[in-house]
Amino acid sequence: MPPGRPTIRSRQVAGELRRLRKQAGFTTGEVGARLGLSQAKVSRVETGSSGLRLGDVQAMLGLYRVPEPRQAEILDLVRRAAEPGWLQVHGRGLPEQWQTLIDWESKAVALRVLHAHLVPDLLQTADYARAAIRGTAPEPPGDAELDVKVGARLARQGILSREHPPALHVLIGEQALRIPVGGPAIAAAQLRHLAEVIRRPHVEIRVVPDAVGAHPGLDGAFLLMDFEQGRALVHTEHRSRSLFLDDEESVLTHRRVWQRVDGIALSAAASAEMISALAEAPGVGVGSG
């Protein structure tokens, strides 16, 4: 791939090459000396600021003794680096897209999540996640599969406990707070968890009241990730596939949706009051209040 604006695939390869180099115990200077490249060239490849050349990547993977199956996966990404977006089909067990999503979330400086109907994954309790995964699946998953998916969902939440976590901005529909996912007890525990999380300095949760009527957020949940360097990235998930988008039009469209919904949401203080009130209300999660 020639130099230019890095795509999601080239950015993913760049990050993986950096991780593999460190895992193998090499410095960028040592890699350059062994492969006949300048240290600056190796650094540019690892930051995504230099175009990916198949031969260079292949040589690096060989030097790092990467297993052949993994080499094939990475080289396929290089060949397709110029393609826009990234579609991943969900399999059974641990979905591959979750690891990709964890990788990108860990690099972000700001995460913006919009969900009108459910509490977003990054804020779910284990019981709520289990009930949500089981309840929304077209076919009830087995216990082992369910355990893996719940574990993967909770693993994503680790970024919120880092020393320097990304700023998390959440727009959540009032309906999501009232649906008794898992029953009243689990729903109440989930609301109490939100009431605790909202106190963290890097977390903002704002509720979109049902009274506003139709709004763009009803058309689908999404996650918008901003980075210190490189283009923003949008992630959307559906029943059988997830999609990563980094083209300017898609990012701009989702940012506009966010801005419109942000403009009609309750303030952070009013949202915190609603969440706390619902958490303590008798029969929480039942009906529309």
Side-chain angles (χ1 to χ4, degrees):
M1 176 185 174
R5 298 190 65 176
T7 66
I8 179 175
R9 287 180 176 82
S10 64
R11 291 158 69 187
Q12 187 74 6
V13 171
E16 181 67 358
L17 288 174
R18 182 169 58 253
R19 186 189 70 80
L20 289 169
R21 173 182 58 77
K22 292 180 178 179
Q23 181 177 288
F26 291 108
T27 65
T28 53
E30 290 170 340
V31 172
R34 292 195 179 216
L35 300 182
L37 304 171
S38 68
Q39 181 177 1
K41 168 68 173 179
V42 177
S43 296
R44 288 197 300 271
V45 169
E46 290 188 357
T47 59
S49 60
S50 178
L52 297 173
R53 299 188 182 280
L54 193 64
D56 292 342
V57 175
Q58 195 166 21
M60 290 178 183
L61 296 176
L63 177 62
Y64 306 154
R65 298 184 180 277
V66 177
E68 288 188 8
R70 182 57 180 151
Q71 284 196 38
E73 293 174 359
I74 294 173
L75 293 174
D76 182 60
L77 290 179
V78 176
R79 294 185 185 96
R80 300 168 56 203
E83 297 178 13
W86 187 335
L87 176 67
Q88 289 190 318
V89 177
H90 300 186
R92 299 188 69 85
L94 177 61
E96 292 182 5
Q97 87 280 359
W98 284 51
Q99 185 56 57
T100 304
L101 182 55
I102 289 172
D103 288 344
W104 286 111
E105 285 176 334
S106 68
K107 300 170 185 173
V109 295
L111 304 171
R112 289 178 172 79
V113 185
L114 188 155
H115 211 310
H117 310 298
L118 288 171
V119 172
D121 296 359
L122 287 172
L123 298 176
Q124 292 179 3
T125 65
D127 288 338
Y128 184 99
R130 183 175 296 275
I133 293 170
R134 181 188 287 121
T136 58
E139 297 180 6
D143 289 342
E145 180 183 349
L146 189 57
D147 288 343
V148 170
K149 289 186 175 181
V150 171
R153 186 165 294 189
L154 296 180
R156 288 178 55 201
Q157 299 178 10
I159 61 169
L160 302 181
S161 301
R162 295 187 322 196
E163 183 177 358
H164 300 292
L168 176 64
H169 305 278
V170 177
L171 294 176
I172 183 172
E174 180 182 346
Q175 180 188 40
L177 304 178
R178 295 185 179 276
I179 296 177
V181 174
I186 289 177
Q190 174 64 70
L191 288 168
R192 289 193 293 271
H193 177 66
L194 291 180
E196 289 294 327
V197 173
I198 206 171
R199 298 175 184 173
R200 300 183 185 181
H202 61 283
V203 176
E204 179 187 66
I205 303 175
R206 297 178 59 209
V207 179
V208 184
D210 290 342
V212 303
H215 59 82
L218 296 175
D219 198 35
F222 64 84
L223 165 63
L224 176 61
M225 294 173 271
D226 286 305
F227 305 91
E228 201 168 296
Q229 295 181 337
R231 286 179 288 179
L233 185 63
V234 174
H235 175 260
T236 64
E237 187 173 346
H238 304 283
R239 288 194 181 278
S240 60
R241 61 197 62 203
S242 60
L243 186 63
F244 294 86
L245 300 167
D246 67 343
D247 62 282
E248 290 185 9
E249 182 177 356
S250 294
V251 171
L252 181 58
T253 296
H254 285 83
R255 205 177 290 281
R256 285 173 175 165
V257 169
W258 173 272
Q259 291 169 346
R260 281 195 60 188
V261 180
D262 183 66
I264 59 176
L266 298 176
S267 68
S271 298
E273 290 179 8
M274 174 182 282
I275 291 170
S276 295
L278 286 173
E280 301 305 324
V284 63
V286 178
S288 59

PDB file of all heavy atoms in Angstrom, residues 10 30 38 47 64 86 101 128 179 185 221 243:
ATOM      1  N   SER A  10      -4.610  -0.677   7.763  1.00  0.00           N
ATOM      2  CA  SER A  10      -3.192  -0.331   7.874  1.00  0.00           C
ATOM      3  C   SER A  10      -2.855   0.082   9.305  1.00  0.00           C
ATOM      4  O   SER A  10      -1.762  -0.220   9.809  1.00  0.00           O
ATOM      5  CB  SER A  10      -2.825   0.779   6.887  1.00  0.00           C
ATOM      6  OG  SER A  10      -3.510   1.978   7.168  1.00  0.00           O
ATOM      7  N   GLU A  30      17.409  -2.237  15.849  1.00  0.00           N
ATOM      8  CA  GLU A  30      17.855  -3.602  15.579  1.00  0.00           C
ATOM      9  C   GLU A  30      17.100  -4.198  14.401  1.00  0.00           C
ATOM     10  O   GLU A  30      17.686  -4.896  13.560  1.00  0.00           O
ATOM     11  CB  GLU A  30      17.657  -4.458  16.827  1.00  0.00           C
ATOM     12  CG  GLU A  30      18.614  -4.115  17.969  1.00  0.00           C
ATOM     13  CD  GLU A  30      18.245  -4.800  19.270  1.00  0.00           C
ATOM     14  OE1 GLU A  30      17.068  -5.223  19.417  1.00  0.00           O
ATOM     15  OE2 GLU A  30      19.115  -4.917  20.138  1.00  0.00           O
ATOM     16  N   SER A  38      16.016   1.725   7.456  1.00  0.00           N
ATOM     17  CA  SER A  38      16.401   2.734   8.439  1.00  0.00           C
ATOM     18  C   SER A  38      15.513   2.604   9.670  1.00  0.00           C
ATOM     19  O   SER A  38      14.374   2.129   9.588  1.00  0.00           O
ATOM     20  CB  SER A  38      16.261   4.139   7.855  1.00  0.00           C
ATOM     21  OG  SER A  38      14.895   4.450   7.639  1.00  0.00           O
ATOM     22  N   THR A  47       3.849   3.382  13.185  1.00  0.00           N
ATOM     23  CA  THR A  47       2.899   4.428  13.547  1.00  0.00           C
ATOM     24  C   THR A  47       1.833   4.632  12.467  1.00  0.00           C
ATOM     25  O   THR A  47       0.912   5.426  12.648  1.00  0.00           O
ATOM     26  CB  THR A  47       3.623   5.766  13.784  1.00  0.00           C
ATOM     27  OG1 THR A  47       4.332   6.141  12.601  1.00  0.00           O
ATOM     28  CG2 THR A  47       4.576   5.664  14.954  1.00  0.00           C
ATOM     29  N   TYR A  64      10.330 -11.795  13.539  1.00  0.00           N
ATOM     30  CA  TYR A  64       9.699 -11.932  14.846  1.00  0.00           C
ATOM     31  C   TYR A  64       9.211 -13.356  15.111  1.00  0.00           C
ATOM     32  O   TYR A  64       8.625 -13.629  16.160  1.00  0.00           O
ATOM     33  CB  TYR A  64       8.507 -10.976  14.966  1.00  0.00           C
ATOM     34  CG  TYR A  64       8.827  -9.529  14.674  1.00  0.00           C
ATOM     35  CD1 TYR A  64       7.841  -8.659  14.207  1.00  0.00           C
ATOM     36  CD2 TYR A  64      10.113  -9.013  14.847  1.00  0.00           C
ATOM     37  CE1 TYR A  64       8.122  -7.329  13.931  1.00  0.00           C
ATOM     38  CE2 TYR A  64      10.402  -7.687  14.566  1.00  0.00           C
ATOM     39  CZ  TYR A  64       9.402  -6.849  14.102  1.00  0.00           C
ATOM     40  OH  TYR A  64       9.674  -5.539  13.816  1.00  0.00           O
ATOM     41  N   TRP A  86     -14.374  -2.152   7.651  1.00  0.00           N
ATOM     42  CA  TRP A  86     -13.931  -3.490   8.062  1.00  0.00           C
ATOM     43  C   TRP A  86     -15.155  -4.246   8.565  1.00  0.00           C
ATOM     44  O   TRP A  86     -15.717  -3.912   9.595  1.00  0.00           O
ATOM     45  CB  TRP A  86     -12.881  -3.372   9.163  1.00  0.00           C
ATOM     46  CG  TRP A  86     -12.227  -4.663   9.557  1.00  0.00           C
ATOM     47  CD1 TRP A  86     -12.714  -5.925   9.435  1.00  0.00           C
ATOM     48  CD2 TRP A  86     -10.939  -4.816  10.156  1.00  0.00           C
ATOM     49  NE1 TRP A  86     -11.816  -6.842   9.912  1.00  0.00           N
ATOM     50  CE2 TRP A  86     -10.724  -6.185  10.364  1.00  0.00           C
ATOM     51  CE3 TRP A  86      -9.954  -3.915  10.549  1.00  0.00           C
ATOM     52  CZ2 TRP A  86      -9.559  -6.688  10.951  1.00  0.00           C
ATOM     53  CZ3 TRP A  86      -8.803  -4.410  11.127  1.00  0.00           C
ATOM     54  CH2 TRP A  86      -8.602  -5.778  11.319  1.00  0.00           C
ATOM     55  N   LEU A 101     -12.127  -4.918  18.653  1.00  0.00           N
ATOM     56  CA  LEU A 101     -12.739  -3.775  19.316  1.00  0.00           C
ATOM     57  C   LEU A 101     -11.954  -3.380  20.566  1.00  0.00           C
ATOM     58  O   LEU A 101     -11.722  -2.192  20.821  1.00  0.00           O
ATOM     59  CB  LEU A 101     -14.183  -4.109  19.677  1.00  0.00           C
ATOM     60  CG  LEU A 101     -15.004  -2.999  20.334  1.00  0.00           C
ATOM     61  CD1 LEU A 101     -15.002  -1.734  19.475  1.00  0.00           C
ATOM     62  CD2 LEU A 101     -16.429  -3.483  20.577  1.00  0.00           C
ATOM     63  N   TYR A 128     -26.517  -8.477  34.251  1.00  0.00           N
ATOM     64  CA  TYR A 128     -27.254  -7.794  33.188  1.00  0.00           C
ATOM     65  C   TYR A 128     -26.744  -8.265  31.831  1.00  0.00           C
ATOM     66  O   TYR A 128     -27.545  -8.533  30.913  1.00  0.00           O
ATOM     67  CB  TYR A 128     -27.073  -6.285  33.328  1.00  0.00           C
ATOM     68  CG  TYR A 128     -27.865  -5.455  32.338  1.00  0.00           C
ATOM     69  CD1 TYR A 128     -29.070  -4.862  32.703  1.00  0.00           C
ATOM     70  CD2 TYR A 128     -27.404  -5.233  31.040  1.00  0.00           C
ATOM     71  CE1 TYR A 128     -29.795  -4.084  31.809  1.00  0.00           C
ATOM     72  CE2 TYR A 128     -28.110  -4.465  30.133  1.00  0.00           C
ATOM     73  CZ  TYR A 128     -29.308  -3.887  30.523  1.00  0.00           C
ATOM     74  OH  TYR A 128     -30.027  -3.116  29.612  1.00  0.00           O
ATOM     75  N   ILE A 179     -36.448  -0.946  31.029  1.00  0.00           N
ATOM     76  CA  ILE A 179     -36.700  -2.332  30.637  1.00  0.00           C
ATOM     77  C   ILE A 179     -36.096  -3.258  31.694  1.00  0.00           C
ATOM     78  O   ILE A 179     -34.908  -3.178  31.991  1.00  0.00           O
ATOM     79  CB  ILE A 179     -36.077  -2.634  29.258  1.00  0.00           C
ATOM     80  CG1 ILE A 179     -36.748  -1.779  28.183  1.00  0.00           C
ATOM     81  CG2 ILE A 179     -36.214  -4.114  28.914  1.00  0.00           C
ATOM     82  CD1 ILE A 179     -36.142  -1.950  26.804  1.00  0.00           C
ATOM     83  N   ALA A 185     -34.725  -7.327  40.106  1.00  0.00           N
ATOM     84  CA  ALA A 185     -33.548  -7.293  40.979  1.00  0.00           C
ATOM     85  C   ALA A 185     -32.274  -6.990  40.183  1.00  0.00           C
ATOM     86  O   ALA A 185     -31.449  -6.155  40.583  1.00  0.00           O
ATOM     87  CB  ALA A 185     -33.401  -8.617  41.724  1.00  0.00           C
ATOM     88  N   ALA A 221     -27.661   1.742  17.554  1.00  0.00           N
ATOM     89  CA  ALA A 221     -26.588   2.062  18.489  1.00  0.00           C
ATOM     90  C   ALA A 221     -25.252   2.129  17.756  1.00  0.00           C
ATOM     91  O   ALA A 221     -25.058   1.477  16.728  1.00  0.00           O
ATOM     92  CB  ALA A 221     -26.530   1.014  19.593  1.00  0.00           C
ATOM     93  N   LEU A 243     -19.306  -3.862  12.158  1.00  0.00           N
ATOM     94  CA  LEU A 243     -18.700  -3.059  11.106  1.00  0.00           C
ATOM     95  C   LEU A 243     -17.886  -1.929  11.721  1.00  0.00           C
ATOM     96  O   LEU A 243     -18.361  -1.216  12.612  1.00  0.00           O
ATOM     97  CB  LEU A 243     -19.798  -2.481  10.199  1.00  0.00           C
ATOM     98  CG  LEU A 243     -19.365  -1.721   8.952  1.00  0.00           C
ATOM     99  CD1 LEU A 243     -18.605  -2.643   8.002  1.00  0.00           C
ATOM    100  CD2 LEU A 243     -20.592  -1.138   8.238  1.00  0.00           C
TER     101      LEU A 243
END
